[in-house]
Amino acid sequence: MVVLGVEKKKRRSFRSWNEGGAVPAVCFAVASGRTWRKDLGSVYRDYEANGVREYFVFDPTRDYLDAPLLGFRRRGKKFNAVKSDRDGAIVSQELGLRLVPEGMMLRLVDLATGQRVLTRTEQVDRLAEEVEQLKSRLRKAGKNGNGAK
């Protein structure tokens, strides 16, 4: 879930009444054999009744849902289904992101820039690549006598 306007801290669970009545703007569920019926039943109704603005249910294996990603957006007091793109992606207006099913994960794409939001692993890989490039430049500069060794 994404809850705007609350202190960023670790919590074992989120309780609106402990957070000044804050309600999640967006909630996500990953469908499983144990949960998918609740995700589309009692959980859906609970989020709808409590003012959640967007709700997404992701089934990466497509074992339980007809599509890998279902989205619902509040209109008035009720959720309405959000139509997905041809590639199964859905835009989260609340987050400013395009949610794209990509294997076992949801790829996030920033609507403002069109850039993919990198996963932690991708960020680490990119930084490691940059470090290697810097090391290579330093080695070359040292061989040419243009820099310190």
Side-chain angles (χ1 to χ4, degrees):
M1 70 177 63
V2 177
V3 186
L4 306 172
V6 297
E7 179 186 349
K8 186 176 181 177
K9 64 180 181 179
K10 288 190 177 195
R11 298 167 174 82
R12 290 195 69 193
S13 60
F14 180 84
R15 293 182 173 91
S16 184
W17 56 88
N18 290 337
E19 305 289 344
V23 174
V26 183
C27 290
F28 293 88
V30 178
S32 72
R34 269 192 20 222
T35 66
W36 75 270
R37 286 179 186 86
K38 288 180 186 176
D39 294 336
L40 296 176
S42 60
V43 172
Y44 172 99
R45 289 189 299 275
D46 186 43
Y47 288 160
E48 183 180 59
N50 285 291
V52 171
R53 295 188 294 271
E54 290 181 333
Y55 176 46
F56 299 97
V57 183
F58 181 48
D59 181 5
T61 59
R62 294 184 77 166
D63 288 338
Y64 311 104
L65 307 177
D66 292 335
L69 180 63
L70 299 179
F72 306 94
R73 185 170 297 124
R74 174 170 299 288
R75 183 174 294 155
K77 293 185 178 188
K78 297 285 183 187
F79 277 147
N80 286 315
V82 178
K83 190 173 180 175
S84 63
D85 296 340
R86 286 190 179 132
D87 62 357
I90 298 177
V91 168
S92 168
Q93 293 175 346
E94 292 295 320
L95 301 177
L97 296 170
R98 188 167 183 263
L99 311 173
V100 185
E102 191 175 282
M104 295 299 289
M105 70 173 210
L106 277 179
R107 169 64 64 189
L108 307 178
V109 178
D110 187 317
L111 289 176
T113 65
Q115 298 293 311
R116 297 170 10 151
V117 177
L118 299 180
T119 65
R120 286 184 183 166
T121 301
E122 290 168 336
Q123 290 174 24
V124 167
D125 290 347
R126 179 177 276 178
L127 287 172
E129 222 174 273
E130 290 175 13
V131 166
E132 286 306 313
Q133 289 172 358
L134 287 171
K135 284 180 181 179
S136 177
R137 284 188 205 143
L138 286 172
R139 282 192 296 272
K140 287 178 186 175
K143 286 180 184 176
N144 294 333
N146 297 332
K149 290 187 182 181

